[in-house]
Amino acid sequence: MNLTQKKDRIKLFKADQELPYHLLLLADETIEAIDKYIHDSEIYIYERDQKTIGIYACQLLDGESLEIKNIAVSEEYQGEGIGQKLLSHAISNATKRGFKNLMIGTSNAAFQQLYIYQKMGFRFHKVLKNFFTDNYKKEIVENGLVLNDMLLLKKDL
Ligand code: ACO
Ligand code: ACO
């Protein structure tokens, strides 16, 4: 047996555990914004050797749709494919449970995220104009652009 082999797993986050805001804050600007959805979301964590290094949170929109409200991977483990594994998990979990579609939103400047989401089969669905300027007190700049609109993508299951 290779003792250096890493043990990775995705598991349901238990409500009595402390929320890993340090991860959630990679995907959202403020705890205030996160608290608007996190307490009624179903949360899964990605563990490596029992250390939490990734997360996603899904909120029920209606009987047919779920939305991934937050997905994040610890900075030192980004680019290894963990984000795509979390998305695959969310897709198969929602499919198994009979949901018709899965939504995910991101900003106008999130080029990498837009690439990954489309690679995983999400398609552009809606533009929420001025979402970031209306909902956040401070201006947010990413990839040299001011965040203004939220792009909502949808995957039919
Ligand atoms: N433009 C396009 N593609 C890029 C770019 C870029 N600038 N940079 C990297 N990529 C590609 C890589 O080549 C790779 O694609 P490939 O597998 O086809 O080669 C892919 O992006 C990275 O894939 P993963 O390794 O699976 O992604 P990772 O584990 O890093 O997770 C995530 C992605 C969750 C976005 C992570 O980087 C992260 O936590 N970022 C900060 C938080 C964040 O932005 N979260 C999403 C906000 S939206 C929301 O939460 C609903
Ligand atoms: N993601 C994000 N930004 C990128 C990427 C990338 N993958 N690759 C390069 N960039 C950035 C560069 O960093 C630079 O930005 P910066 O000035 O802030 O650093 C910018 O893109 C490039 O700017 P320019 O040098 O002014 O652009 P260029 O002279 O190359 O012209 C154009 C852009 C017209 C798209 C050219 O590359 C081209 O002819 N491409 C092929 C034809 C094409 O795609 N045309 C547009 C089709 S849509 C239409 O025609 C209506």
Side-chain angles (χ1 to χ4, degrees):
M1 193 173 78
N2 179 2
L3 291 176
T4 60
Q5 202 174 358
K6 297 191 170 61
K7 282 211 191 90
D8 286 13
R9 61 177 178 160
I10 297 175
K11 67 175 202 185
L12 189 64
F13 178 83
K14 291 201 200 97
D16 58 350
Q17 290 171 277
E18 205 171 311
L19 277 167
Y21 279 107
H22 66 287
L23 284 177
L24 296 164
L25 280 165
L26 296 172
D28 209 333
E29 286 302 306
T30 62
I31 289 180
E32 192 189 2
I34 293 166
D35 279 343
K36 285 188 187 154
Y37 54 76
I38 203 70
H39 303 291
D40 58 3
S41 291
E42 191 172 80
I43 304 168
Y44 283 88
I45 51 172
Y46 192 101
E47 273 189 357
R48 174 166 295 168
D49 298 333
Q50 294 176 0
K51 183 181 169 199
T52 301
I53 60 169
I55 193 161
Y56 76 85
C58 263
Q59 197 180 42
L60 187 71
L61 295 181
D62 54 49
E64 297 203 328
S65 315
L66 282 176
E67 181 176 345
I68 300 174
K69 301 292 287 187
N70 190 306
I71 178 165
V73 174
S74 226
E75 270 159 335
E76 59 184 305
Y77 302 101
Q78 287 177 11
E80 277 187 30
I82 296 172
Q84 289 169 71
K85 283 187 192 152
L86 287 170
L87 286 167
S88 288
H89 184 274
I91 292 164
S92 60
N93 199 18
T95 306
K96 272 187 225 146
R97 291 161 66 187
F99 287 98
K100 295 269 185 294
N101 54 68
L102 186 60
M103 317 286 282
I104 192 161
T106 196
S107 80
N108 54 296
F111 307 125
Q112 182 201 3
Q113 292 79 350
L114 289 169
Y115 163 76
I116 299 174
Y117 302 159
Q118 290 178 85
K119 190 178 166 194
M120 301 300 296
F122 288 85
R123 302 278 300 271
F124 286 100
H125 179 60
K126 236 189 230 176
V127 178
L128 307 180
K129 295 280 280 181
N130 302 318
F131 178 88
F132 291 95
T133 39
D134 287 349
N135 286 287
Y136 294 84
K137 287 183 192 129
K138 283 196 189 146
E139 184 178 271
I140 311 165
V141 177
E142 214 177 279
N143 290 321
L145 291 178
V146 173
L147 303 200
N148 45 42
D149 305 329
M150 156 94 82
L151 306 174
L152 202 57
L153 292 89
K154 175 175 160 185
K155 182 175 169 72
D156 291 324
L157 303 173

